[in-house]
Amino acid sequence: NERLKSRLGQFKASKELRLIVTKVYAMTTIVKVCFQEDIRRITLPKENPFDQLVKEVSRIYKGKFPNGIQVRYIDDEDDHVTVTSNMELLEAFDMSQATLKLFITPQSAEESDSEFVKVSKDGQRTAVLNSKVSKEDLAKEKKAEEAEKKAQAEAEAEAAKALAESMAKAAAKALLEEEEKAEAKKKAKEAAEKKARKAEREAKKAEREAKRKKLLQEKAFRAKLGTLFVKDVTIPDNMEVAPGQELKKTWAIKNNGSVAWPEGVHVGRSNKKGGIIHVADTKVPVKKPGEIAHITVVMKAPMKAGNHTSANYFLVHDGKKFGNEFWAIVKVKKTPKSKKSEDDVKEPKREPKEEKAPKNAAPSKDSKKDPKGPCLGMHFIKDINIPDGALMAPSQHVTKSWLLKNTGEVAWPIGTKLVALRGSFGQDAIHEIKTVVNKGEQYQLDLAVTVPLKTGKHRANYQFSAPNGDKFGHKLWIDIRVSKFPNKNQLRTLAKDFLADEKVVDALQAELPMIIKEIRQGKKLASIVEILLTKRPELKNHQFVVFLQPFLQSAEKFMSLQLDALIQMYSILAMTPLASGATPAPEKKKHEKKTDLPKKQAPNTEKKGSYASMIKSAKQPQPPAKPAKKPASPKFKYESELKQFADMGFKNLAAVKPLLMKHNGNVQLVLGELFNTPM
């Protein structure tokens, strides 16, 4: 007891522990139970606490309560309140402000007449009961009170439900309004976009119409332009000049058109393909109809002795030439041989006859600043690859090669570069001379460039530049046509080049069994080409493959070429008969090819320009076949169709005949059955 009093005193002194009844998150409650001199702490749950209390007390004080227990506590008015149910004990928990101490006594056989106090939920004392009947009335009242609480809870739940439904309806209405606003906004945006697209189409149409009118106006204006050669002002025809001498040729040109020459007219010359090359450092004055202008062009005499005619020059406006052409004719005199050093012999060449150039003549950029120094020179000999007008695919990586010759007096300086002048592509491509190229030696120049994405004609111009920045030698160029896919004639040419290579034919012949196997497995032509290029990487860079491969991967119309492609390979590789029942041909030997074709050849039924005729025309020429004897049997019903198979390269024609009879002469059905027959 002393120890309990001491602990109670400690609890009272501590503000934080003044509540002995501890509520554990609305789950359990700790109470003190006093029985005679024994005091214990018991944890009771919030659910059915009175039942749990009776159970625990009966367990702790076993045999002490044969007739049951009586539970009381002292309220805030010092009244002893009897607890007989779970509800009453819960109310005691709610009303307790400090320690809830429950006093336990045994229940006598006869109910005690001692008074007990009924305590309502709000903590007010309502009655003092001392009879059994009063207790029953109290229980009824409590039931009524519980029913009232339940009804109140249900009413609150209904109200909450009604509120939730109202809020849900309001939210749905708001959401619907938002959706309607979003839909209206979307429709307005679509209408605005439609209007903008229409305006853009109209603007493009107007732009196209304006361009068309402008082109017509320019065409009409060019028709009014004209030139007429009058005379040679300098360097008359057949004038003798030294080899390699720099010449300033001046012509008197008359404006015989009906309008004045506009600003921007310049001098041009033709290239080998008929294109126009801009002649740099030339000035064309503005002249009215009937007036004469002096046109000066700086050129260089050839090194070879004899009569020479320059390129044809003309005036150009907006990329179109007009008027008469004019040129120069010179006679290069022979250089007398001498035992002197080459430098002494060629020294006079660097001192040409002085000629008074017209005032409007522009100095040549290729001329040396120091006339006494050694003269650098370079002549173009030929295009090793990619001729002018070659067909290229967009963004294709190519290497252009020229064969050049050092025609100067000394070796090209180390560090000499091929630099871009002007053009529609290849401006960042530079080639540097890193080896010694002596006078008179030839040099192969390789330049890697990337073809433009834009289709059409493109040109890149280059010239040699010495380490000091002086340009010299012939101008070089790359003239190409860019096409997304070649036309029929271009494709035929590419295929001929492709199949004219013996290495290509050998590779296709070696891989033909693989190709047939892949087709029988149902693979598409694009996949088969990928496998072929993986096994034969040397075919990747061929122009025909470069054009064909992207379209095999993207265009569905090429997928129908699978069977046709196999047939054409048979026409090329006739020495590899793989049809059902065919006898394998012996290993191919050079200049030893046999054929069992009939003597009479059927006319070619393939259309001109078709893929099949194109590939057949590209085949390597074969030695003439040995004439076969005419069959004694009567003429076959489908003789013309059978000869088509002979033209394709099929040898085992006996195996084809029953299939032609079976399919009533349908060549496509026969081919399908042949290629679907297991090997």
Side-chain angles (χ1 to χ4, degrees), residues 74 120 270 272 276 360 393 495 517 552-553 583 585 594 618 631 633 651:
I74 301 174
S120 64
S270 300
K272 296 179 181 179
I276 297 176
N360 58 355
K517 178 181 177 182
L552 293 178
Q553 296 172 347
T583 303
K594 298 182 179 180
S633 59
K651 290 187 174 184

Coordinates of all heavy atoms in Angstrom, one line a residue, residues 74 120 270 272 276 360 393 495 517 552-553 583 585 594 618 631 633 651:
I74 N -16.5 6.0 -8.5 CA -16.9 7.3 -7.8 C -16.8 8.3 -8.9 O -15.8 8.5 -9.5 CB -16.0 7.6 -6.7 CG1 -16.0 6.5 -5.6 CG2 -16.4 8.9 -6.0 CD1 -15.1 6.6 -4.5
S120 N -26.1 9.8 -17.5 CA -26.4 9.9 -18.9 C -25.1 10.2 -19.7 O -24.0 10.4 -19.1 CB -27.4 11.1 -19.1 OG -26.8 12.3 -18.7
S270 N 31.0 26.8 -122.9 CA 30.4 25.5 -122.9 C 31.3 24.5 -122.4 O 32.5 24.6 -122.6 CB 29.9 25.1 -124.3 OG 29.0 26.1 -124.8
K272 N 31.9 20.1 -122.0 CA 31.8 18.9 -122.9 C 30.4 18.4 -123.1 O 30.0 17.9 -124.1 CB 32.7 17.8 -122.5 CG 34.2 18.1 -122.5 CD 35.0 17.0 -121.9 CE 36.5 17.3 -121.9 NZ 37.3 16.2 -121.4
I276 N 26.9 25.2 -119.1 CA 27.5 26.5 -119.1 C 28.4 26.7 -117.9 O 28.0 26.3 -116.7 CB 26.4 27.6 -119.0 CG1 25.5 27.5 -120.2 CG2 26.9 29.0 -118.8 CD1 24.3 28.5 -120.2
N360 N 38.9 47.5 -119.8 CA 37.9 46.8 -119.1 C 38.3 45.3 -118.9 O 37.5 44.5 -118.4 CB 36.5 46.8 -119.8 CG 36.6 46.2 -121.2 OD1 37.7 45.9 -121.6 ND2 35.5 46.1 -121.9
A393 N 22.5 8.8 -106.4 CA 21.4 8.8 -105.4 C 21.6 9.9 -104.4 O 22.7 10.3 -104.1 CB 21.4 7.4 -104.7
A495 N 22.0 -1.4 -114.8 CA 22.0 -2.9 -114.7 C 23.0 -3.5 -115.7 O 23.7 -4.5 -115.3 CB 20.6 -3.4 -115.1
K517 N 16.6 -20.8 -101.9 CA 16.2 -21.4 -100.6 C 15.4 -20.3 -99.8 O 14.4 -20.6 -99.2 CB 17.4 -21.8 -99.9 CG 17.1 -22.4 -98.5 CD 18.4 -22.8 -97.8 CE 18.1 -23.3 -96.4 NZ 19.3 -23.7 -95.7
L552 N 13.7 -1.4 -102.1 CA 13.3 -2.7 -101.8 C 12.9 -2.8 -100.3 O 12.0 -3.6 -99.9 CB 14.5 -3.7 -102.0 CG 14.9 -3.9 -103.4 CD1 16.0 -4.9 -103.5 CD2 13.7 -4.5 -104.3
Q553 N 13.4 -1.9 -99.5 CA 13.0 -1.9 -98.0 C 11.8 -1.1 -97.8 O 11.1 -1.2 -96.7 CB 14.2 -1.3 -97.2 CG 15.4 -2.1 -97.3 CD 16.6 -1.5 -96.7 OE1 16.6 -0.3 -96.4 NE2 17.7 -2.2 -96.5
T583 N 19.5 -32.0 -114.7 CA 20.8 -32.6 -114.5 C 21.8 -31.5 -114.1 O 22.0 -30.6 -114.9 CB 21.3 -33.4 -115.7 OG1 20.3 -34.3 -116.0 CG2 22.6 -34.1 -115.4
A585 N 24.9 -29.1 -114.0 CA 25.9 -28.9 -115.1 C 27.2 -29.0 -114.5 O 27.5 -28.8 -113.3 CB 25.7 -27.4 -115.6
K594 N 28.2 -25.0 -122.8 CA 27.4 -25.8 -123.7 C 25.9 -25.4 -123.5 O 25.5 -24.9 -122.5 CB 27.6 -27.3 -123.3 CG 29.0 -27.8 -123.6 CD 29.1 -29.3 -123.3 CE 30.5 -29.8 -123.5 NZ 30.6 -31.2 -123.2
A618 N 22.2 -7.5 -120.7 CA 23.5 -7.2 -120.0 C 24.3 -8.5 -119.8 O 25.4 -8.4 -119.2 CB 23.2 -6.6 -118.6
P631 N 13.5 -32.2 -133.6 CA 12.9 -33.4 -133.1 C 11.9 -34.0 -134.1 O 11.3 -33.3 -134.9 CB 12.1 -32.8 -131.9 CG 11.9 -31.4 -132.2 CD 13.1 -30.9 -133.0
S633 N 9.4 -35.8 -133.3 CA 8.1 -35.8 -132.7 C 7.3 -34.7 -133.3 O 7.8 -33.7 -133.7 CB 8.1 -35.7 -131.2 OG 8.7 -34.6 -130.8
K651 N 17.2 -25.7 -119.0 CA 17.8 -26.7 -119.9 C 16.9 -28.0 -120.0 O 16.8 -28.6 -121.0 CB 19.2 -27.1 -119.4 CG 20.2 -26.1 -119.6 CD 21.6 -26.6 -119.2 CE 22.7 -25.6 -119.6 NZ 24.0 -26.1 -119.3

